[in-house]
Amino acid sequence: MTKIGVILRGKYGSRLVETVRSKTDMEVIVAELPAYLPDFIDEPEEFFSGLDFDTKVFDADIIITYSLHPDITPQIARMAGKAGVRALIVPGGASKAPVKELEDISKEYGIFIEVDEICCNVASDPATDDFTCFFGNPVLDVEVKDGKVAKVNVIRGAPCGSTWHMAEALVGTPVEEAGPKAGLIVSQYPCRAVRGNMGGIHESSEMHKQEIEAAIKRQQASAKE
């Protein structure tokens, strides 16, 4: 059984833990960082060793870290690499993680590291397939009856749970309204992604809108065959 490690920080990461546990049979190991950390940490290794942190999380095959700190995240990556962790997924984007330093750590320890702004945009890679077969860019199957959405089957969804929330809320929606409504539902979901610009929650919203529209077209084309 694949073990997923999740490093929480404050409000970040708890929804992913809930979704992974409810949607898969993967074992989830959780460790927590303090919600508030200094802006700059000169000696990350020393600072980290003084934290009340459960290092059992490094027994995982894949770790998702919500450390969201350019000094702490590389230290986590080094510890994961030394422990033999297969892959490290870093949400929050390049503004929260030193990409070049993480690339060097990846090469040094042979650990796959991916930095993404949002977790529903995690790319599939052999190192992360056990996770991304369930979570990442939404993949949907839509059933249509009498011109309305009858059911939305989530094949792969956002690890925050927004895809499943959207799928339930779309039932009964006219197909011509389904795309925009899907995007709206996701944008209103209490996701932790960045708001107020064209990335973050807006990107997630657009991804879901496009996939619902594509899934409806696939269903309609299949019905004509």
Side-chain angles (χ1 to χ4, degrees), residues 136-195:
N137 294 359
V139 178
L140 307 167
D141 180 63
V142 178
E143 298 178 20
V144 175
K145 185 176 181 180
D146 299 328
K148 295 182 179 180
V149 174
K151 186 176 182 180
V152 180
N153 299 305
V154 180
I155 299 168
R156 184 172 65 206
C160 68
S162 63
T163 310
W164 287 269
H165 171 73
M166 176 213 70
E168 292 180 5
L170 273 186
V171 173
T173 303
V175 291
E176 63 272 14
E177 299 174 13
K181 185 175 179 180
L184 178 63
I185 292 167
V186 169
S187 70
Q188 293 174 338
Y189 185 77
C191 174
R192 307 299 189 194
V194 174
R195 298 174 184 268

Side-chain angles (χ1 to χ4, degrees), residues 68-69 90-99 102 114-118 194:
L68 303 170
H69 195 292
V90 184
S95 65
K96 301 290 185 180
V99 175
L102 291 175
E114 180 173 358
V115 178
D116 277 297
E117 184 179 353
I118 52 177
V194 174

